Amino acid sequence: EKGAPAPLEHTSRDPMKCAVCRAAYEKALDRVLGQLRRSTFPVKMICGWTLLADGRHEKDLQYCIDGAIAWRKQGWRERSHPGNWYPALAGAFLVEVRKYRRDREVDAAIEDIVAWFASTQESTGGWYKWHEGALRERLDYPTVDLGFVSALAITTMITAKAQGLRVPPETLQRAEAWVNRLTRDRGLAYGTARG
């Protein structure tokens, strides 16, 4: 069509070497860095993974790591998202950080998160918005476990154990049994239905 922009030509299958893809990535990364200090805790954790993979922005990465270490100080409320999503996101991020650097503060934060998971694991073997909340207080609510939170909790514990950190074996065994039950049935979902 006359006057329409020419289609973009990719210069490589590797997005980091392709002129089109690399330009889009850099533009997106600039946006992330511009918003990072004003972002919510979950966004900081996701940005942390991006910055860890990128490897060029050490101060911004450290800002995300410091936020993950201080997960309980980020508007902490046990009976809301900071009581489940915050440790789940922080734990999954910090065990990834630990693959590239050893740091006592990171280890202590991971162990604190694992201890939190152990203390809040439900009788089902998974995790919910708050400990046993769906089972006792919201009997009308069809969801028992938050599958995505539980998956991040399990990821954190398996990776922490593989890295030599202490993970209570009974917590991990119950979580793995929970996953096996779900994957044979309906699979993981944001909310796992009763029954």
Side-chain angles (χ1 to χ4, degrees):
E1 184 178 319
K2 194 173 183 179
L8 297 174
E9 296 272 343
H10 292 277
T11 59
S12 172
R13 288 179 175 243
D14 180 342
M16 292 297 119
K17 293 179 182 173
C18 172
V20 172
C21 297
R22 185 69 188 206
Y25 170 81
E26 292 298 341
K27 186 175 179 181
L29 187 60
D30 286 345
R31 172 95 172 137
V32 165
L33 294 172
Q35 300 291 318
L36 184 60
R37 298 295 192 274
R38 297 186 302 269
S39 295
T40 63
F41 182 82
V43 171
K44 285 178 199 166
M45 296 304 96
I46 293 166
C47 289
W49 278 309
T50 302
L51 296 169
L52 182 63
D54 184 81
R56 295 179 293 162
H57 303 277
E58 184 60 34
K59 286 182 182 177
D60 296 304
L61 173 60
Q62 190 60 49
Y63 174 75
C64 296
I65 293 169
D66 292 343
I69 289 169
W71 66 275
R72 284 191 201 234
K73 297 175 185 162
Q74 311 292 320
W76 171 250
R77 293 180 318 282
E78 178 181 336
R79 297 170 65 85
S80 188
H81 291 101
N84 62 6
W85 277 107
Y86 286 23
L89 290 166
F93 172 52
L94 289 174
V95 293
E96 193 67 22
V97 167
R98 194 175 189 279
K99 291 176 183 177
Y100 299 96
R101 59 166 84 168
R102 297 294 170 94
D103 180 294
R104 286 188 180 140
E105 250 191 317
V106 168
D107 287 0
I110 293 168
E111 289 173 350
D112 180 42
I113 290 167
V114 168
W116 175 253
F117 291 147
S119 72
T120 59
Q121 188 176 33
E122 297 198 34
S123 57
T124 60
W127 287 266
Y128 185 63
K129 189 169 183 176
W130 53 82
H131 185 48
E132 302 292 3
L135 300 178
R136 290 189 300 190
E137 297 174 19
R138 288 290 312 274
L139 298 178
D140 62 317
Y141 196 66
T143 299
V144 177
D145 296 303
L146 290 178
F148 295 168
V149 167
S150 298
L152 288 171
I154 293 165
T155 296
T156 297
M157 290 187 294
I158 288 171
T159 308
K161 181 182 174 189
Q163 294 173 346
L165 297 175
R166 184 179 146 16
V167 174
E170 63 282 357
T171 302
L172 193 50
Q173 287 165 1
R174 288 177 56 223
E176 289 172 341
W178 175 85
V179 167
N180 288 334
R181 227 175 16 255
L182 289 182
T183 52
R184 280 195 314 267
D185 186 10
R186 293 180 291 271
L188 293 178
Y190 180 83
T192 303
R194 295 174 183 272

